[in-house]
Amino acid sequence: MNRAAGADRSRLPLDRVRFVLSHTSHPGNIGAAARAMKTMGLTRLLLVNPKRFPDDEAVARSAGADDLLADARVCSSVDEALADTRFACAVTARQRNLGPPPLAARAAAAEILARTGDGEVALLFGNESAGLSNAEVQRCQRTVFIPANPGYGSLNLAAAVQIVAYELRLAAFDSQPPLYSKTIAFASPPANHQDIERFYQHLERVMIGSGFLDPQRPRRLLPKLRRLFGRAGLEHDEINILRGLLDAIERQSAGRQIDHRSETVGD
């Protein structure tokens, strides 16, 4: 699912997902949550009555996601933050008897993104110490839980945001999100047939010259080496490296032979 269904087909589903943080007490958690969102391509951050915001610590903890903080919308209530949404999920570790149906984060991600075809959707996260109140949870259509260790399920707010954002990104790109790296590719093109055969000829010559291979009794040495290098899938640069090594061995061997002849003549 790479595009949202419905009227606005030019926007990615992730652009229609709000992350709502309710009554966050520590500004550092707001910054860390913004960072977690941005790494997964989510940008819509809403804050319900944060204790301290804006705040320098939020900017510091955002680690470059300060644009999300600058665009964050501060709301006076959960109802205001959820206004105009078509679907909302409360992220909570506690199961509630009177709450909406619970879904694990991975299953929830697929439904959340499917709902973006109808309009805006929201994920609601609670206060660091108290979580979400029953009244807040009941304003949502689903509860989302992270299947953590039953013996210790305590997650930092930003960590919970990161996990849910990651699941949304996987679901948005059918588990194959685009990759981006500033590093230069290490691989070179595969070696062609002629280069590989010249390498084997060179290798055989060096093995015979060094005495490692007896051409009268080759046994299965060469076929085994062909199988070894065949598994490796040799690249063009690798062939050049290997042949450079073989050249160095031949030069060194030739140099030793000249030195040996010189010593013999001197004697």
Side-chain angles (χ1 to χ4, degrees):
M1 184 197 312
N2 288 333
R3 297 281 179 187
D8 188 0
R9 293 181 179 273
S10 65
R11 301 178 63 194
L12 287 169
L14 294 180
D15 294 334
R16 307 183 83 163
V17 180
R18 304 177 187 181
F19 274 59
V20 180
L21 310 185
S22 179
H23 295 83
T24 310
S25 60
H26 197 293
N29 286 330
I30 297 175
R35 178 183 183 179
M37 290 172 59
K38 188 170 182 177
T39 59
M40 296 298 141
L42 291 137
T43 60
R44 308 280 304 286
L45 178 60
L46 287 80
L47 306 172
V48 178
N49 290 326
K51 187 173 183 179
R52 286 164 45 201
F53 187 82
D55 192 277
D56 289 342
E57 189 166 358
V59 174
R61 290 285 301 279
S62 73
D66 45 302
D67 54 331
L68 267 70
L69 299 179
D71 292 338
R73 179 178 154 202
V74 178
C75 304
S76 60
S77 67
V78 169
D79 288 331
E80 181 185 347
L82 298 182
D84 298 321
T85 60
R86 303 287 181 170
F87 185 68
C89 294
V91 182
T92 176
R94 287 188 289 134
Q95 301 301 316
R96 329 256 174 151
N97 291 333
L98 297 178
L103 283 174
R106 183 156 297 181
E111 181 172 2
I112 290 164
L113 290 174
R115 296 282 189 150
T116 61
D118 299 324
E120 298 279 326
V121 301
L123 284 149
L124 177 62
F125 295 79
N127 171 271
E128 294 95 325
S129 57
L132 291 169
S133 68
N134 287 334
E136 289 174 322
V137 170
Q138 288 166 10
R139 280 164 168 73
C140 300
Q141 288 74 53
R142 297 284 187 278
T143 58
V144 175
F145 66 93
I146 295 167
N149 175 8
Y152 185 74
S154 176
L155 277 172
N156 173 269
L157 172 60
V161 168
Q162 184 75 84
I163 291 170
V164 174
Y166 170 75
E167 294 293 353
L168 285 169
R169 185 165 182 80
L170 282 186
F173 292 96
D174 295 327
S175 298
Q176 294 182 327
L179 300 178
Y180 171 73
S181 173
K182 294 181 181 179
T183 59
I184 298 172
F186 191 71
S188 66
N192 62 36
H193 174 77
Q194 303 94 296
D195 289 340
I196 292 173
E197 288 306 311
R198 281 193 286 266
F199 161 66
Y200 287 135
Q201 292 165 12
H202 197 169
L203 179 61
E204 182 177 10
R205 184 172 74 241
V206 169
M207 289 195 299
I208 291 172
S210 67
F212 184 76
L213 172 64
D214 180 357
Q216 303 303 317
R217 301 179 62 195
R219 301 184 185 276
R220 301 173 64 187
L221 180 58
L222 284 171
K224 283 182 176 291
L225 287 171
R226 278 182 174 269
R227 186 173 65 176
L228 168 65
F229 287 113
R231 284 200 305 269
L234 290 169
E235 298 174 358
H236 177 74
D237 288 353
E238 293 167 343
I239 287 285
N240 289 340
I241 292 168
L242 290 169
R243 294 205 63 188
L245 172 63
L246 295 174
D247 281 336
I249 293 171
E250 284 186 310
R251 286 195 299 271
Q252 188 177 49
S253 177
R256 282 200 301 267
Q257 290 175 3
I258 291 172
D259 291 342
H260 178 69
R261 284 198 295 270
S262 299
E263 291 173 1
T264 303
V265 171
D267 289 344

PDB file of all heavy atoms in Angstrom, residues 54-87:
ATOM      1  N   PRO A  54       7.005  25.192  24.349  1.00  0.00           N
ATOM      2  CA  PRO A  54       8.323  24.769  23.845  1.00  0.00           C
ATOM      3  C   PRO A  54       9.360  24.747  24.964  1.00  0.00           C
ATOM      4  O   PRO A  54       9.188  25.398  25.986  1.00  0.00           O
ATOM      5  CB  PRO A  54       8.658  25.829  22.803  1.00  0.00           C
ATOM      6  CG  PRO A  54       7.375  26.551  22.517  1.00  0.00           C
ATOM      7  CD  PRO A  54       6.571  26.465  23.765  1.00  0.00           C
ATOM      8  N   ASP A  55      10.458  24.040  24.679  1.00  0.00           N
ATOM      9  CA  ASP A  55      11.498  23.896  25.681  1.00  0.00           C
ATOM     10  C   ASP A  55      12.804  23.508  24.994  1.00  0.00           C
ATOM     11  O   ASP A  55      12.793  22.707  24.054  1.00  0.00           O
ATOM     12  CB  ASP A  55      11.094  22.823  26.698  1.00  0.00           C
ATOM     13  CG  ASP A  55      11.992  22.816  27.922  1.00  0.00           C
ATOM     14  OD1 ASP A  55      13.079  22.201  27.840  1.00  0.00           O
ATOM     15  OD2 ASP A  55      11.614  23.415  28.940  1.00  0.00           O
ATOM     16  N   ASP A  56      13.908  24.057  25.478  1.00  0.00           N
ATOM     17  CA  ASP A  56      15.212  23.766  24.873  1.00  0.00           C
ATOM     18  C   ASP A  56      15.570  22.290  24.965  1.00  0.00           C
ATOM     19  O   ASP A  56      16.243  21.748  24.082  1.00  0.00           O
ATOM     20  CB  ASP A  56      16.306  24.597  25.547  1.00  0.00           C
ATOM     21  CG  ASP A  56      16.207  26.076  25.194  1.00  0.00           C
ATOM     22  OD1 ASP A  56      15.541  26.399  24.194  1.00  0.00           O
ATOM     23  OD2 ASP A  56      16.802  26.904  25.924  1.00  0.00           O
ATOM     24  N   GLU A  57      15.139  21.631  26.038  1.00  0.00           N
ATOM     25  CA  GLU A  57      15.470  20.216  26.179  1.00  0.00           C
ATOM     26  C   GLU A  57      14.759  19.372  25.116  1.00  0.00           C
ATOM     27  O   GLU A  57      15.305  18.387  24.627  1.00  0.00           O
ATOM     28  CB  GLU A  57      15.115  19.711  27.570  1.00  0.00           C
ATOM     29  CG  GLU A  57      15.631  18.303  27.833  1.00  0.00           C
ATOM     30  CD  GLU A  57      15.595  17.907  29.288  1.00  0.00           C
ATOM     31  OE1 GLU A  57      15.201  18.737  30.122  1.00  0.00           O
ATOM     32  OE2 GLU A  57      15.961  16.756  29.585  1.00  0.00           O
ATOM     33  N   ALA A  58      13.561  19.767  24.750  1.00  0.00           N
ATOM     34  CA  ALA A  58      12.857  19.063  23.679  1.00  0.00           C
ATOM     35  C   ALA A  58      13.626  19.195  22.375  1.00  0.00           C
ATOM     36  O   ALA A  58      13.786  18.219  21.626  1.00  0.00           O
ATOM     37  CB  ALA A  58      11.448  19.623  23.520  1.00  0.00           C
ATOM     38  N   VAL A  59      14.134  20.387  22.104  1.00  0.00           N
ATOM     39  CA  VAL A  59      14.915  20.594  20.881  1.00  0.00           C
ATOM     40  C   VAL A  59      16.186  19.752  20.911  1.00  0.00           C
ATOM     41  O   VAL A  59      16.542  19.110  19.924  1.00  0.00           O
ATOM     42  CB  VAL A  59      15.250  22.091  20.702  1.00  0.00           C
ATOM     43  CG1 VAL A  59      16.183  22.295  19.513  1.00  0.00           C
ATOM     44  CG2 VAL A  59      13.982  22.913  20.526  1.00  0.00           C
ATOM     45  N   ALA A  60      16.871  19.742  22.049  1.00  0.00           N
ATOM     46  CA  ALA A  60      18.107  18.972  22.165  1.00  0.00           C
ATOM     47  C   ALA A  60      17.863  17.486  21.954  1.00  0.00           C
ATOM     48  O   ALA A  60      18.614  16.806  21.245  1.00  0.00           O
ATOM     49  CB  ALA A  60      18.748  19.222  23.527  1.00  0.00           C
ATOM     50  N   ARG A  61      16.810  16.964  22.556  1.00  0.00           N
ATOM     51  CA  ARG A  61      16.523  15.531  22.443  1.00  0.00           C
ATOM     52  C   ARG A  61      15.954  15.152  21.082  1.00  0.00           C
ATOM     53  O   ARG A  61      15.943  13.975  20.715  1.00  0.00           O
ATOM     54  CB  ARG A  61      15.534  15.106  23.536  1.00  0.00           C
ATOM     55  CG  ARG A  61      16.100  15.103  24.948  1.00  0.00           C
ATOM     56  CD  ARG A  61      17.020  13.914  25.200  1.00  0.00           C
ATOM     57  NE  ARG A  61      16.342  12.668  25.000  1.00  0.00           N
ATOM     58  CZ  ARG A  61      15.544  12.077  25.900  1.00  0.00           C
ATOM     59  NH1 ARG A  61      15.340  12.655  27.070  1.00  0.00           N
ATOM     60  NH2 ARG A  61      14.971  10.923  25.634  1.00  0.00           N
ATOM     61  N   SER A  62      15.505  16.123  20.317  1.00  0.00           N
ATOM     62  CA  SER A  62      14.963  15.809  18.990  1.00  0.00           C
ATOM     63  C   SER A  62      16.061  15.452  18.006  1.00  0.00           C
ATOM     64  O   SER A  62      15.791  14.831  16.969  1.00  0.00           O
ATOM     65  CB  SER A  62      14.155  16.991  18.447  1.00  0.00           C
ATOM     66  OG  SER A  62      15.000  18.052  18.044  1.00  0.00           O
ATOM     67  N   ALA A  63      17.298  15.846  18.290  1.00  0.00           N
ATOM     68  CA  ALA A  63      18.461  15.473  17.474  1.00  0.00           C
ATOM     69  C   ALA A  63      18.250  15.753  15.985  1.00  0.00           C
ATOM     70  O   ALA A  63      18.498  14.893  15.141  1.00  0.00           O
ATOM     71  CB  ALA A  63      18.800  13.991  17.694  1.00  0.00           C
ATOM     72  N   GLY A  64      17.782  16.952  15.683  1.00  0.00           N
ATOM     73  CA  GLY A  64      17.588  17.308  14.283  1.00  0.00           C
ATOM     74  C   GLY A  64      16.158  17.237  13.810  1.00  0.00           C
ATOM     75  O   GLY A  64      15.861  17.621  12.678  1.00  0.00           O
ATOM     76  N   ALA A  65      15.258  16.774  14.661  1.00  0.00           N
ATOM     77  CA  ALA A  65      13.833  16.734  14.283  1.00  0.00           C
ATOM     78  C   ALA A  65      13.105  17.959  14.829  1.00  0.00           C
ATOM     79  O   ALA A  65      11.896  17.907  15.087  1.00  0.00           O
ATOM     80  CB  ALA A  65      13.187  15.454  14.797  1.00  0.00           C
ATOM     81  N   ASP A  66      13.836  19.059  14.991  1.00  0.00           N
ATOM     82  CA  ASP A  66      13.226  20.259  15.551  1.00  0.00           C
ATOM     83  C   ASP A  66      12.175  20.860  14.618  1.00  0.00           C
ATOM     84  O   ASP A  66      11.330  21.648  15.054  1.00  0.00           O
ATOM     85  CB  ASP A  66      14.291  21.303  15.903  1.00  0.00           C
ATOM     86  CG  ASP A  66      15.326  21.471  14.798  1.00  0.00           C
ATOM     87  OD1 ASP A  66      15.961  20.476  14.442  1.00  0.00           O
ATOM     88  OD2 ASP A  66      15.475  22.597  14.295  1.00  0.00           O
ATOM     89  N   ASP A  67      12.207  20.484  13.335  1.00  0.00           N
ATOM     90  CA  ASP A  67      11.154  20.964  12.428  1.00  0.00           C
ATOM     91  C   ASP A  67       9.792  20.393  12.828  1.00  0.00           C
ATOM     92  O   ASP A  67       8.762  21.075  12.703  1.00  0.00           O
ATOM     93  CB  ASP A  67      11.484  20.615  10.977  1.00  0.00           C
ATOM     94  CG  ASP A  67      11.768  19.135  10.759  1.00  0.00           C
ATOM     95  OD1 ASP A  67      12.252  18.469  11.699  1.00  0.00           O
ATOM     96  OD2 ASP A  67      11.528  18.637   9.642  1.00  0.00           O
ATOM     97  N   LEU A  68       9.789  19.141  13.324  1.00  0.00           N
ATOM     98  CA  LEU A  68       8.526  18.568  13.807  1.00  0.00           C
ATOM     99  C   LEU A  68       8.038  19.316  15.035  1.00  0.00           C
ATOM    100  O   LEU A  68       6.837  19.527  15.216  1.00  0.00           O
ATOM    101  CB  LEU A  68       8.696  17.080  14.133  1.00  0.00           C
ATOM    102  CG  LEU A  68       8.362  16.086  13.008  1.00  0.00           C
ATOM    103  CD1 LEU A  68       9.402  16.175  11.904  1.00  0.00           C
ATOM    104  CD2 LEU A  68       8.285  14.672  13.546  1.00  0.00           C
ATOM    105  N   LEU A  69       8.972  19.719  15.901  1.00  0.00           N
ATOM    106  CA  LEU A  69       8.595  20.473  17.093  1.00  0.00           C
ATOM    107  C   LEU A  69       8.042  21.843  16.712  1.00  0.00           C
ATOM    108  O   LEU A  69       7.066  22.319  17.303  1.00  0.00           O
ATOM    109  CB  LEU A  69       9.795  20.626  18.027  1.00  0.00           C
ATOM    110  CG  LEU A  69      10.415  19.331  18.561  1.00  0.00           C
ATOM    111  CD1 LEU A  69      11.604  19.651  19.456  1.00  0.00           C
ATOM    112  CD2 LEU A  69       9.382  18.505  19.320  1.00  0.00           C
ATOM    113  N   ALA A  70       8.674  22.472  15.721  1.00  0.00           N
ATOM    114  CA  ALA A  70       8.210  23.787  15.292  1.00  0.00           C
ATOM    115  C   ALA A  70       6.799  23.714  14.714  1.00  0.00           C
ATOM    116  O   ALA A  70       6.008  24.656  14.864  1.00  0.00           O
ATOM    117  CB  ALA A  70       9.180  24.371  14.268  1.00  0.00           C
ATOM    118  N   ASP A  71       6.497  22.597  14.059  1.00  0.00           N
ATOM    119  CA  ASP A  71       5.170  22.434  13.438  1.00  0.00           C
ATOM    120  C   ASP A  71       4.165  21.767  14.367  1.00  0.00           C
ATOM    121  O   ASP A  71       2.986  21.609  13.995  1.00  0.00           O
ATOM    122  CB  ASP A  71       5.290  21.601  12.156  1.00  0.00           C
ATOM    123  CG  ASP A  71       6.051  22.337  11.060  1.00  0.00           C
ATOM    124  OD1 ASP A  71       6.117  23.579  11.109  1.00  0.00           O
ATOM    125  OD2 ASP A  71       6.591  21.658  10.170  1.00  0.00           O
ATOM    126  N   ALA A  72       4.628  21.336  15.555  1.00  0.00           N
ATOM    127  CA  ALA A  72       3.721  20.628  16.468  1.00  0.00           C
ATOM    128  C   ALA A  72       2.569  21.544  16.890  1.00  0.00           C
ATOM    129  O   ALA A  72       2.751  22.731  17.140  1.00  0.00           O
ATOM    130  CB  ALA A  72       4.485  20.145  17.694  1.00  0.00           C
ATOM    131  N   ARG A  73       1.394  20.950  16.984  1.00  0.00           N
ATOM    132  CA  ARG A  73       0.205  21.712  17.365  1.00  0.00           C
ATOM    133  C   ARG A  73      -0.140  21.398  18.815  1.00  0.00           C
ATOM    134  O   ARG A  73      -0.263  20.224  19.197  1.00  0.00           O
ATOM    135  CB  ARG A  73      -0.949  21.323  16.445  1.00  0.00           C
ATOM    136  CG  ARG A  73      -2.257  22.022  16.752  1.00  0.00           C
ATOM    137  CD  ARG A  73      -3.305  21.579  15.749  1.00  0.00           C
ATOM    138  NE  ARG A  73      -4.647  21.696  16.308  1.00  0.00           N
ATOM    139  CZ  ARG A  73      -5.685  21.025  15.857  1.00  0.00           C
ATOM    140  NH1 ARG A  73      -5.538  20.162  14.863  1.00  0.00           N
ATOM    141  NH2 ARG A  73      -6.874  21.198  16.405  1.00  0.00           N
ATOM    142  N   VAL A  74      -0.266  22.436  19.619  1.00  0.00           N
ATOM    143  CA  VAL A  74      -0.627  22.269  21.028  1.00  0.00           C
ATOM    144  C   VAL A  74      -2.133  22.435  21.171  1.00  0.00           C
ATOM    145  O   VAL A  74      -2.710  23.432  20.721  1.00  0.00           O
ATOM    146  CB  VAL A  74       0.117  23.285  21.914  1.00  0.00           C
ATOM    147  CG1 VAL A  74      -0.302  23.125  23.372  1.00  0.00           C
ATOM    148  CG2 VAL A  74       1.631  23.098  21.777  1.00  0.00           C
ATOM    149  N   CYS A  75      -2.753  21.434  21.803  1.00  0.00           N
ATOM    150  CA  CYS A  75      -4.210  21.424  21.966  1.00  0.00           C
ATOM    151  C   CYS A  75      -4.569  21.470  23.448  1.00  0.00           C
ATOM    152  O   CYS A  75      -3.800  21.032  24.311  1.00  0.00           O
ATOM    153  CB  CYS A  75      -4.808  20.163  21.337  1.00  0.00           C
ATOM    154  SG  CYS A  75      -4.391  19.958  19.590  1.00  0.00           S
ATOM    155  N   SER A  76      -5.759  21.954  23.738  1.00  0.00           N
ATOM    156  CA  SER A  76      -6.197  22.058  25.127  1.00  0.00           C
ATOM    157  C   SER A  76      -6.910  20.804  25.614  1.00  0.00           C
ATOM    158  O   SER A  76      -7.141  20.637  26.812  1.00  0.00           O
ATOM    159  CB  SER A  76      -7.112  23.269  25.293  1.00  0.00           C
ATOM    160  OG  SER A  76      -8.251  23.134  24.448  1.00  0.00           O
ATOM    161  N   SER A  77      -7.269  19.899  24.684  1.00  0.00           N
ATOM    162  CA  SER A  77      -7.982  18.676  25.079  1.00  0.00           C
ATOM    163  C   SER A  77      -7.740  17.587  24.043  1.00  0.00           C
ATOM    164  O   SER A  77      -7.354  17.859  22.897  1.00  0.00           O
ATOM    165  CB  SER A  77      -9.488  18.939  25.199  1.00  0.00           C
ATOM    166  OG  SER A  77     -10.040  19.226  23.918  1.00  0.00           O
ATOM    167  N   VAL A  78      -8.016  16.362  24.461  1.00  0.00           N
ATOM    168  CA  VAL A  78      -7.913  15.238  23.531  1.00  0.00           C
ATOM    169  C   VAL A  78      -8.939  15.380  22.423  1.00  0.00           C
ATOM    170  O   VAL A  78      -8.669  15.074  21.258  1.00  0.00           O
ATOM    171  CB  VAL A  78      -8.089  13.902  24.285  1.00  0.00           C
ATOM    172  CG1 VAL A  78      -8.258  12.743  23.305  1.00  0.00           C
ATOM    173  CG2 VAL A  78      -6.900  13.647  25.198  1.00  0.00           C
ATOM    174  N   ASP A  79     -10.119  15.865  22.762  1.00  0.00           N
ATOM    175  CA  ASP A  79     -11.151  16.053  21.744  1.00  0.00           C
ATOM    176  C   ASP A  79     -10.674  17.007  20.657  1.00  0.00           C
ATOM    177  O   ASP A  79     -10.927  16.781  19.467  1.00  0.00           O
ATOM    178  CB  ASP A  79     -12.439  16.595  22.383  1.00  0.00           C
ATOM    179  CG  ASP A  79     -13.159  15.547  23.213  1.00  0.00           C
ATOM    180  OD1 ASP A  79     -13.022  14.344  22.887  1.00  0.00           O
ATOM    181  OD2 ASP A  79     -13.846  15.914  24.178  1.00  0.00           O
ATOM    182  N   GLU A  80      -9.986  18.062  21.040  1.00  0.00           N
ATOM    183  CA  GLU A  80      -9.461  19.000  20.052  1.00  0.00           C
ATOM    184  C   GLU A  80      -8.410  18.323  19.175  1.00  0.00           C
ATOM    185  O   GLU A  80      -8.386  18.519  17.958  1.00  0.00           O
ATOM    186  CB  GLU A  80      -8.852  20.217  20.747  1.00  0.00           C
ATOM    187  CG  GLU A  80      -8.297  21.253  19.770  1.00  0.00           C
ATOM    188  CD  GLU A  80      -7.598  22.402  20.476  1.00  0.00           C
ATOM    189  OE1 GLU A  80      -7.741  22.536  21.714  1.00  0.00           O
ATOM    190  OE2 GLU A  80      -6.883  23.173  19.791  1.00  0.00           O
ATOM    191  N   ALA A  81      -7.542  17.504  19.792  1.00  0.00           N
ATOM    192  CA  ALA A  81      -6.486  16.834  19.033  1.00  0.00           C
ATOM    193  C   ALA A  81      -7.045  15.790  18.069  1.00  0.00           C
ATOM    194  O   ALA A  81      -6.454  15.534  17.017  1.00  0.00           O
ATOM    195  CB  ALA A  81      -5.500  16.174  19.994  1.00  0.00           C
ATOM    196  N   LEU A  82      -8.177  15.193  18.436  1.00  0.00           N
ATOM    197  CA  LEU A  82      -8.777  14.150  17.590  1.00  0.00           C
ATOM    198  C   LEU A  82      -9.817  14.708  16.614  1.00  0.00           C
ATOM    199  O   LEU A  82     -10.399  13.940  15.837  1.00  0.00           O
ATOM    200  CB  LEU A  82      -9.433  13.079  18.456  1.00  0.00           C
ATOM    201  CG  LEU A  82      -8.508  12.291  19.393  1.00  0.00           C
ATOM    202  CD1 LEU A  82      -9.310  11.240  20.151  1.00  0.00           C
ATOM    203  CD2 LEU A  82      -7.355  11.652  18.639  1.00  0.00           C
ATOM    204  N   ALA A  83     -10.029  15.995  16.644  1.00  0.00           N
ATOM    205  CA  ALA A  83     -11.059  16.596  15.786  1.00  0.00           C
ATOM    206  C   ALA A  83     -10.784  16.295  14.315  1.00  0.00           C
ATOM    207  O   ALA A  83      -9.632  16.350  13.859  1.00  0.00           O
ATOM    208  CB  ALA A  83     -11.104  18.100  16.015  1.00  0.00           C
ATOM    209  N   ASP A  84     -11.832  15.949  13.601  1.00  0.00           N
ATOM    210  CA  ASP A  84     -11.799  15.664  12.160  1.00  0.00           C
ATOM    211  C   ASP A  84     -11.116  14.342  11.807  1.00  0.00           C
ATOM    212  O   ASP A  84     -10.946  14.035  10.626  1.00  0.00           O
ATOM    213  CB  ASP A  84     -11.115  16.800  11.373  1.00  0.00           C
ATOM    214  CG  ASP A  84     -11.861  18.123  11.516  1.00  0.00           C
ATOM    215  OD1 ASP A  84     -13.108  18.092  11.523  1.00  0.00           O
ATOM    216  OD2 ASP A  84     -11.200  19.164  11.630  1.00  0.00           O
ATOM    217  N   THR A  85     -10.714  13.570  12.788  1.00  0.00           N
ATOM    218  CA  THR A  85     -10.154  12.250  12.471  1.00  0.00           C
ATOM    219  C   THR A  85     -11.287  11.275  12.202  1.00  0.00           C
ATOM    220  O   THR A  85     -12.396  11.424  12.718  1.00  0.00           O
ATOM    221  CB  THR A  85      -9.274  11.705  13.611  1.00  0.00           C
ATOM    222  OG1 THR A  85     -10.054  11.588  14.804  1.00  0.00           O
ATOM    223  CG2 THR A  85      -8.080  12.605  13.860  1.00  0.00           C
ATOM    224  N   ARG A  86     -10.988  10.266  11.404  1.00  0.00           N
ATOM    225  CA  ARG A  86     -11.983   9.232  11.083  1.00  0.00           C
ATOM    226  C   ARG A  86     -11.761   7.960  11.890  1.00  0.00           C
ATOM    227  O   ARG A  86     -12.640   7.094  11.952  1.00  0.00           O
ATOM    228  CB  ARG A  86     -11.888   8.887   9.600  1.00  0.00           C
ATOM    229  CG  ARG A  86     -12.073  10.062   8.671  1.00  0.00           C
ATOM    230  CD  ARG A  86     -13.512  10.520   8.610  1.00  0.00           C
ATOM    231  NE  ARG A  86     -13.693  11.630   7.692  1.00  0.00           N
ATOM    232  CZ  ARG A  86     -14.872  12.106   7.312  1.00  0.00           C
ATOM    233  NH1 ARG A  86     -15.975  11.566   7.786  1.00  0.00           N
ATOM    234  NH2 ARG A  86     -14.943  13.118   6.481  1.00  0.00           N
ATOM    235  N   PHE A  87     -10.565   7.858  12.486  1.00  0.00           N
ATOM    236  CA  PHE A  87     -10.225   6.627  13.211  1.00  0.00           C
ATOM    237  C   PHE A  87      -9.133   6.979  14.208  1.00  0.00           C
ATOM    238  O   PHE A  87      -8.187   7.712  13.876  1.00  0.00           O
ATOM    239  CB  PHE A  87      -9.741   5.574  12.228  1.00  0.00           C
ATOM    240  CG  PHE A  87      -9.477   4.217  12.816  1.00  0.00           C
ATOM    241  CD1 PHE A  87     -10.514   3.437  13.291  1.00  0.00           C
ATOM    242  CD2 PHE A  87      -8.190   3.701  12.880  1.00  0.00           C
ATOM    243  CE1 PHE A  87     -10.285   2.175  13.828  1.00  0.00           C
ATOM    244  CE2 PHE A  87      -7.938   2.450  13.406  1.00  0.00           C
ATOM    245  CZ  PHE A  87      -8.992   1.681  13.875  1.00  0.00           C
TER     246      PHE A  87
END
